[in-house]
Amino acid sequence: MPITSSAKKAQRQSVRRRVMNLARTEAITSVERKIKKLTAAGKKAEAKALLPLAYKAIDKAAKRGILHKNTAGRQKSLLARLVQ
């Protein structure tokens, strides 16, 4: 347990940040799962419609520092290739 007031504040901040980071990563993974499931079922048009949502989630995560810029680009590229 933190003792000093600054350590207590740091712990509160880290808990808040962890919750937000988890929410962003879950948004990415859920959209990716949906796209992969649709492409496996052969529904490419519906998967293409979900691509902008995936791009938005990935770009937001990269902007906030949850994902590295190159990782975000790679994920977007892989999803685009999967849908093609």
Side-chain angles (χ1 to χ4, degrees):
M1 290 299 294
I3 298 191
T4 62
S5 61
S6 59
K8 290 176 185 175
K9 181 179 178 182
Q11 186 182 30
R12 288 195 306 269
Q13 287 175 331
S14 69
V15 167
R16 240 180 270 130
R17 288 177 183 147
R18 181 174 180 273
V19 168
M20 291 306 293
N21 291 345
L22 284 174
R24 294 230 185 269
T25 53
E26 285 174 13
I28 293 170
T29 53
S30 67
V31 174
E32 282 181 351
R33 258 191 245 120
K34 287 177 190 173
I35 290 174
K36 288 177 183 176
K37 198 177 286 186
L38 287 171
T39 53
K43 300 177 180 177
K44 300 251 181 188
E46 293 175 28
K48 263 189 183 176
L50 283 179
L51 267 182
L53 291 175
Y55 285 176
K56 182 178 179 181
I58 291 170
D59 287 337
K60 274 193 174 185
K63 177 183 170 185
R64 303 270 194 255
I66 298 163
L67 289 179
H68 191 271
K69 180 180 69 167
N70 294 344
T71 304
R74 185 178 66 246
Q75 284 185 352
K76 286 164 53 174
S77 173
L78 287 171
L79 284 175
R81 256 191 285 159
L82 186 68
V83 170
Q84 287 301 328

